[in-house]
C-alpha cells in the first residue's frame, strides 16, 4: 500500500490517508512502449530517416542500457481540487486511467476510471510536470488529439465526477 500525508503551511501533519494497493508489474509490453516513446524524439526520428529504424535501434542498444523497475510506483500523479485529493495510479481498465479519491473527511478508496488524456511526449516530460488533464469543481477536463489526414485537432473533453 501507500500513505499520503497532508501538512499545513507550518509543517504540521493534519491528515493521513492509508491506501491498500496491489503492485503492478512492469511487463515486456510496457518496456517496449517506453522504448518506442524514445524513438519519437526528433533527433532519433531524423536518424531513422537517414539510417533506418533497425539500424538506430541496434545503435541505441549498443550505446545504452535501459533499466526498468520490477513494479510501477503506486502513484503516477496527484492533484487536489481544494477539497479532495485525486491520486492517479498506473492501473488502467477499459482504456481508462484509475484515480483514487481521497476525500476531505479522510476517507480513501473510491475508484474513478477516467478517460486517458493525450499522452505527454518524452521530451516534454523531461521539462517537468506536464499533464493534459485537470480536475476542477467536480469536473474532469482532458485534452484529446484527433488526427485526420495531415490535420491535428485538439479537443477539450469534460466528464462530471
Amino acid at each position: 500500500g501507500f500513505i499520503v500525508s497532508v501538512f499545513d503551511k507550518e509543517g504540521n501533519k493534519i491528515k493521513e490517508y492509508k491506501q491498500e494497493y496491489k503492485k503492478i508489474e512492469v511487463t515486456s509490453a510496457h518496456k517496449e512502449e517506453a522504448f518506442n516513446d524514445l524513438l519519437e524524439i526528433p533527433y532519433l526520428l531524423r536518424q531513422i530517416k537517414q539510417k533506418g529504424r533497425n539500424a538506430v535501434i541496434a545503435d541505441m542498444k549498443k550505446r545504452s542500457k535501459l533499466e526498468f523497475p520490477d513494479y510501477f510506483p503506486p502513484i503516477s500523479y496527484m492533484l487536489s481540487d481544494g477539497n479532495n485529493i485525486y491520486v492517479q495510479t498506473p492501473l488502467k481498465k477499459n482504456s481508462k486511467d484509475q484515480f483514487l479519491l481521497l476525500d476531505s473527511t479522510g476517507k480513501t478508496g473510491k475508484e474513478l476510471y477516467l478517460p486517458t488524456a493525450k499522452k505527454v511526449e518524452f521530451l516534454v516530460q523531461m521539462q517537468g510536470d506536464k499533464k493534459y488533464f485537470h480536475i476542477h469543481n467536480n469536473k474532469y477536463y482532458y485534452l484529446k488529439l484527433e488526427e485526420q489526414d495531415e490535420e491535428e485537432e485538439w479537443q477539450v473533453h469534460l466528464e462530471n465526477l
Side-chain angles (χ1 to χ4, degrees):
F2 62 87
I3 297 171
V4 174
S5 299
V6 179
F7 298 85
D8 65 17
K9 63 183 177 182
E10 285 81 35
N12 302 308
K13 188 188 297 186
I14 56 174
K15 204 175 296 175
E16 183 173 271
Y17 300 94
K18 292 181 182 181
Q19 179 66 45
E20 290 302 314
Y21 181 78
K22 183 181 176 225
K23 290 182 177 180
I24 299 174
E25 186 176 351
V26 176
T27 65
S28 57
H30 294 122
K31 294 173 186 178
E32 185 69 25
E33 181 182 355
F35 189 77
N36 287 332
D37 287 348
L38 284 175
L39 293 175
E40 294 298 316
I41 295 173
Y43 168 76
L44 292 176
L45 288 173
R46 288 192 301 274
Q47 293 295 306
I48 289 169
K49 282 184 182 177
Q50 292 174 359
K51 300 177 183 178
R53 183 179 173 88
N54 291 338
V56 170
I57 290 172
D59 188 44
M60 284 178 66
K61 288 184 177 180
K62 252 191 268 179
R63 292 177 188 227
S64 63
K65 180 181 176 196
L66 291 177
E67 293 192 26
F68 295 89
D70 294 332
Y71 298 95
F72 283 99
I75 297 175
S76 299
Y77 192 71
M78 189 167 41
L79 70 152
S80 172
D81 65 1
N83 294 315
N84 301 312
I85 297 173
Y86 299 86
V87 176
Q88 183 183 20
T89 75
L91 185 65
K92 293 187 182 297
K93 186 192 254 184
N94 300 325
S95 300
K96 292 187 174 191
D97 296 327
Q98 182 192 56
F99 287 79
L100 300 176
L101 172 65
L102 312 179
D103 71 19
S104 58
T105 67
K107 292 183 183 173
T108 62
K110 181 177 178 189
E111 296 178 4
L112 303 169
Y113 288 90
L114 301 172
T116 300
K118 179 191 178 306
K119 190 172 188 174
V120 179
E121 297 83 4
F122 179 77
L123 284 180
V124 175
Q125 288 179 31
M126 300 303 288
Q127 297 170 4
D129 182 26
K130 299 277 189 226
K131 291 289 179 186
Y132 294 120
F133 63 83
H134 189 68
I135 294 175
H136 183 70
N137 287 339
N138 228 20
K139 293 178 177 23
Y140 174 70
Y141 298 87
Y142 64 102
L143 195 59
K144 190 173 178 184
L145 176 62
E146 296 289 335
E147 296 184 53
Q148 297 173 2
D149 300 322
E150 297 294 315
E151 295 289 317
E152 289 184 354
E153 181 181 336
W154 292 82
Q155 300 175 349
V156 176
H157 289 250
L158 152 64
E159 284 205 12
N160 291 315
L161 297 179

